[in-house]
Amino acid sequence: MTNMFEVRETNKMIEENNLDVRTITMGISLLDCCDSDVDRVCEKIYKKITQKAGKLVEVGDEIGLEFGIPIVNKRVSVTPISLIGASSCKKPEDYLKIAKALDKAACDIGINFIGGFSALVSKGITPADRMLIDIIPEALASTQRVCSSVNVGSTKTGIDMDAVKLLGEAILKTAVLTKDEDSIGCAKFVVFCNAPDDNPFMAGAFHGVTEADTIINVGVSGPGVVKRAISEVHGKDFGTLCETIKKTAFKVTRVGQLVAREASERLGVPFGIIDLSLAPTPAVGDSVAEILEEMGLEKVGAPGTTAALALLNDQVKKGGIMASSYVGGLSGAFIPVSEDQGMIDSVNAGALTLEKLEAMTCVCSVGLDMIAIPGDTKASTISGIIADEMAIGMINQKTTAVRLIPVQGKSVGDVAQFGGLLGYAPIMSVNNTDCSEFINRTGRIPAPIHSFKN
């Protein structure tokens, strides 16, 4: 039972420390929209999304107003579109029609983003997958709210290096097609290893084929709340630090649980999971980097950064798992550069490099996220960075992801402006030592020995 102390405590977290529910995401299965005619597929998709999620924004706003909890985004994720268009799409442009149908549905119901223009190719690429991958640049350049992802690896299957090569080229093409907006199309695209079926966060959300017809997933946030709590135990031992983070994560997750339960009941859609990730924003004080610095680092990137992030990620999960029986998605701490003012400051100070960020991804929730790189970076170099990050996920049995933005016409020392929650980012230097001969090998990196669990 909620008591008045908990209510006051929650209100304080909202008013003073930027606590919010980052997203209510409705997952919608489009398997029943398959058809032999692509135009009918588009009609079915539009109709189902607008019928199922037509009140999502309205209900989210009502809950936020009634409980005084900011709900920043309302989103939809759908079944990977490569599967839905497999019977009807005869050429890549057919998938572009579906992308535009998704965008129209998202616009008409007023959501922020729709995820699921996706393919799952960790063990091989079907003709449908290839067509979707080929059209991703045009789809992201010609839509406003569509997000795309491709899962190229898993601990169980290994890494599809043919897909990795294709996606390095696709990212560069997307950057060129959206060059007038600092290559923002790339901010709507993620490459995954071990992608979860129930992730509510963009740009990587899709509705897995094992999920129910519709589902409500909620992503919470709260870096500012955690930082404030840590500041109150400044200089204390690690045991005290861990307990403080764990208890705070519990409180933040309970807020998400309340919102998820209300949204599920009011929309008549089953509750799926709470993703308890600490998701930063460009707002001052809403930074994962500042949490790590509050632990005792001068700047993120200093020696000890990876250990501090590992501690934070683990305690967030431990606290959250006690607050809800259904924790899923990514859950932990995000380290996007452009969306975190503390990360930006560390890059500008020379303390944080791409290589250090890669090391940090071994222990955090996602991977190399929202990183702006020089526009003249080669496609093979981008593919090499993707391959490295996918290997970390595969070997460590965790989700890893890459969201790189090769900003056309800009180089190290320049700044890319994305706006809103995406913020801005300094262009980071990239190791341009050639890896093209490695990337041009065909086939698949096999699964590691510890994948054999049966």
Side-chain angles (χ1 to χ4, degrees), residues 206 421 444:
F206 63 85
L421 279 176
R444 179 164 53 95

Side-chain angles (χ1 to χ4, degrees), residues 354-431:
L354 191 60
E355 287 73 18
K356 183 60 176 180
L357 279 165
E358 182 181 301
M360 292 164 66
T361 66
C362 296
V363 299
C364 78
S365 292
V366 194
L368 297 171
D369 193 18
M370 286 301 294
I371 296 173
I373 60 175
D376 60 358
T377 304
K378 294 183 294 184
S380 59
T381 299
I382 296 171
S383 293
I385 295 170
I386 292 171
D388 285 343
E389 195 61 31
M390 300 302 99
I392 289 172
M394 176 184 71
I395 296 296
N396 290 293
Q397 304 178 69
K398 69 184 292 293
T399 300
T400 50
V402 171
R403 188 161 45 151
L404 293 178
I405 307 168
V407 184
Q408 298 302 291
K410 294 193 173 181
S411 56
V412 176
D414 294 330
V415 173
Q417 297 284 351
F418 306 121
L421 279 176
L422 298 178
Y424 71 98
I427 310 299
M428 299 185 69
S429 65
V430 172
N431 184 339

